[in-house]
Amino acid sequence: MNPAPLTLTAPAKLNLMLRILGRRDDGYHELQTVFQLLDFGDALSFQENSDASIQLHCPGVDLPPEQNLVYRAAQLLRQACGKPQLGATIAVDKKLPAGGGIGGGSSDAATALLGLNHLWQCRLSLDDLAELARQLGADVPVFVRGHSAFAEGIGEQLTAVSIEPRWYLVLTPACHVSTAALFSDPRLTRDSAAITLAALRDRRLNTHWLNEYAGNDFQPLVESLYPEVGEAREWLSRHGQAQLTGTGACVFAGFESESAAQQVFAERPEGWSAFIAQGVDKSPTHRQLAKFAATV
Ligand SMILES: C[C@@](CO)(OP(=O)(O)O)[C@H](O)COP(=O)(O)OP(=O)(O)OC[C@H]1O[C@@H](n2ccc(N)nc2=O)[C@H](O)[C@@H]1O
Ligand SMILES: Nc1ncnc2c1ncn2[C@@H]1O[C@H](COP(=O)(O)OP(=O)(O)O)[C@@H](O)[C@H]1O
């Protein structure tokens, strides 16, 4: 009988602030952002197989398997550890909307690197895995490191931070925003002033800090292209400080308690999709992996 599969949560992220500082020669953008990890996400389960194949089941993501970030992560890891004979069956239960700015695809990729590194006993360090992650996407390393963080560079230079615990209500408008299309739009603001590292003080971000630096340079452009995003943010701003995450389409507001978030959730207009999640400093993936490692 096969052993029980390894099941891990691939958490969502929110960008609590996001400034675009400029464009590099390779086309990528220098930015500053705060990644807040959430205690909610997709569920990935991994089982080793003996036929050296990567079998992926990922209903809800309309892509050929070879283009799915989970499959690409598995291939990359297998190559990096020089063991082409390794195989795995991976099932993804998608709970996070793709193209929502909450990092679902990136988090799935990071979770595949972490889960398979464990399952296949590749023994790559977090530094090695973060380097593979960078090759898969600018947003992937933060999920490999597994800690909420202030990010610079293209999003891969990370300083772990501790963020005042809050509950987030996330509205998920049904439009799919292309990150690449937004970054290449000439109307995008690309010259924001940088926050100095001194402003991070003791790396503990409280509500006062978050209110002072809140904002997202993508917001005006996204709202002009997708009016339903602006409509969702405007509605949410009547109940809290609402803003866009990443390139959208999701918008969010933070609350002091779960019940405060639930009250607003219950009042949302009929037919609007949303979820509530708690902000966490440490990724659930890492907590689950540590527990799993202790029991096998
Ligand atoms: C904007 C952010 C903020 O967290 O998030 P999302 O809204 O996508 O979640 C990220 O920087 C997105 O990261 P990610 O989604 O991993 O981007 P990638 O796959 O590496 O790149 C997609 C495309 O976006 C552009 N890109 C990405 C990151 C960056 N710092 N500068 C860029 O110009 C590039 O044109 C690239 O071709
Ligand atoms: N496992 C996956 N889950 C979601 N999207 C994926 C996955 N693999 C590849 N993708 C592609 O990545 C794109 C961005 O997905 P995602 O990370 O969820 O959004 P965002 O970058 O807006 O946070 C999707 O539009 C999809 O084409």
Side-chain angles (χ1 to χ4, degrees):
M1 205 173 84
N2 283 333
L6 167 63
T7 301
L8 298 172
T9 303
K13 58 85 177 165
L14 296 174
N15 298 93
L16 299 186
M17 53 76 59
L18 192 154
R19 295 184 180 191
I20 305 170
L21 311 182
R23 186 163 24 185
R24 306 191 317 196
D25 290 343
D26 64 3
Y28 268 80
H29 289 74
E30 293 280 340
L31 47 82
Q32 286 184 323
T33 188
V34 170
F35 286 115
Q36 164 75 79
L37 300 182
L38 299 181
D39 202 6
F40 175 73
D42 297 337
L44 274 72
S45 69
F46 306 88
Q47 206 142 27
E48 213 168 347
N49 69 37
S50 52
D51 62 3
S53 68
I54 294 161
Q55 305 283 343
L56 177 64
H57 305 280
C58 187
V61 175
D62 200 12
L63 287 174
E66 316 74 57
Q67 285 173 31
N68 193 300
L69 283 160
V70 172
Y71 188 96
R72 292 179 50 211
Q75 287 273 42
L76 196 61
L77 180 67
R78 199 162 64 161
Q79 231 168 38
C81 63
K83 295 183 184 168
Q85 75 280 9
L86 293 170
T89 301
I90 309 168
V92 184
D93 180 5
K94 285 297 295 180
K95 296 187 166 73
L96 305 174
I102 51 177
S106 305
S107 186
D108 289 352
T111 304
L113 291 175
L114 290 163
L116 293 172
N117 187 46
H118 179 83
L119 197 71
W120 287 340
Q121 299 179 15
C122 300
R123 298 182 200 283
L124 295 195
S125 66
L126 272 194
D127 284 348
D128 293 336
L129 294 176
E131 174 49 32
L132 297 182
R134 210 182 47 83
Q135 297 172 38
L136 293 165
D139 259 3
V140 186
V142 69
F143 295 107
V144 162
R145 298 279 178 196
H147 206 284
S148 288
F150 178 71
E152 298 177 282
I154 62 164
E156 88 296 12
Q157 292 167 24
L158 300 165
T159 303
V161 292
S162 178
I163 302 173
E164 196 161 297
R166 292 194 297 182
W167 288 85
Y168 293 92
L169 171 57
V170 184
L171 297 177
T172 63
C175 47
H176 182 292
V177 179
S178 157
T179 299
L182 277 187
F183 268 119
S184 60
D185 193 300
R187 291 166 293 181
L188 184 64
T189 300
R190 301 184 160 81
D191 59 355
S192 283
I195 295 176
T196 61
L197 265 180
L200 279 185
R201 296 181 203 118
D202 55 0
R203 298 179 183 178
R204 304 182 83 81
L205 309 186
N206 58 21
T207 302
H208 176 75
W209 192 97
L210 296 167
N211 287 341
E212 186 173 344
Y213 292 106
N216 179 333
D217 283 340
F218 286 111
Q219 196 168 291
L221 180 60
V222 172
E223 292 185 2
S224 75
L225 294 169
Y226 304 92
E228 58 272 51
V229 173
E231 198 190 332
R233 186 189 53 80
E234 268 164 35
W235 181 83
L236 195 54
S237 356
R238 292 185 220 143
H239 303 276
Q241 187 171 355
Q243 67 178 64
L244 185 78
T245 174
T247 52
C250 296
V251 298
F252 67 93
F255 296 89
E256 275 184 15
S257 66
E258 185 178 14
S259 58
Q262 261 163 354
Q263 200 173 330
V264 181
F265 178 89
E267 288 171 21
R268 76 194 187 286
E270 209 183 319
W272 283 21
S273 304
F275 66 86
I276 292 171
Q278 191 170 26
V280 288
D281 285 342
K282 194 166 175 188
S283 167
T285 325
H286 291 249
R287 282 193 268 113
Q288 291 160 350
L289 262 179
K291 218 167 165 183
F292 190 85
T295 56
V296 288

